[in-house]
Amino acid sequence: ATKKELSLKMDDLTVRGYLEKFISMYDASALLALEHFAYFIYNVISVVNGAYINNQYILEDIVEKYGPKLYVEMVNL
C-alpha cells in the first residue's frame, strides 16, 4: 500500500488545525479532555448533570446514550 492509500484522505490534517476545530466545536474548557482521561470523564459527567461548563448543546447529542451509564459506573466505584 502506498502512503497516499494509508492517509485516509487526511493529508491536510495538522495538529493545529485539529485543535482549532476541537476548540471551536466543544469549547476551550473541554481541551484538557484530550490529554487527561479524568478530565474527559469530568466533561462527560458535567454534560449528564447539565452543568453547561462546555458546549453542552453539541455534547448532549454525543453523550446522551452512554453518558448516564458511565456516570452510574463512576459513582459506584
Side-chain angles (χ1 to χ4, degrees):
T2 66
K3 184 178 179 183
K4 184 87 170 164
E5 291 171 340
L6 296 175
S7 70
L8 301 175
K9 298 181 182 179
M10 291 190 272
D11 293 331
D12 298 332
L13 183 65
T14 62
V15 173
R16 180 186 180 111
Y18 177 79
L19 290 177
E20 286 175 353
K21 294 289 184 183
F22 186 90
I23 291 169
S24 69
M25 184 175 280
Y26 302 115
D27 202 5
S29 61
L31 189 59
L32 187 57
L34 292 174
E35 295 187 33
H36 199 275
F37 184 69
Y39 198 75
F40 172 78
I41 297 298
Y42 167 76
N43 272 281
V44 171
I45 291 173
S46 71
V47 171
V48 171
N49 289 329
Y52 290 89
I53 309 177
N54 39 37
N55 194 341
Q56 182 81 22
Y57 301 107
I58 289 186
L59 291 171
E60 279 177 342
D61 292 337
I62 298 169
V63 172
E64 70 181 330
K65 185 175 181 180
Y66 297 107
K69 293 177 185 177
L70 177 66
Y71 179 71
V72 168
E73 290 299 322
M74 296 304 291
V75 169
N76 289 330
L77 283 178

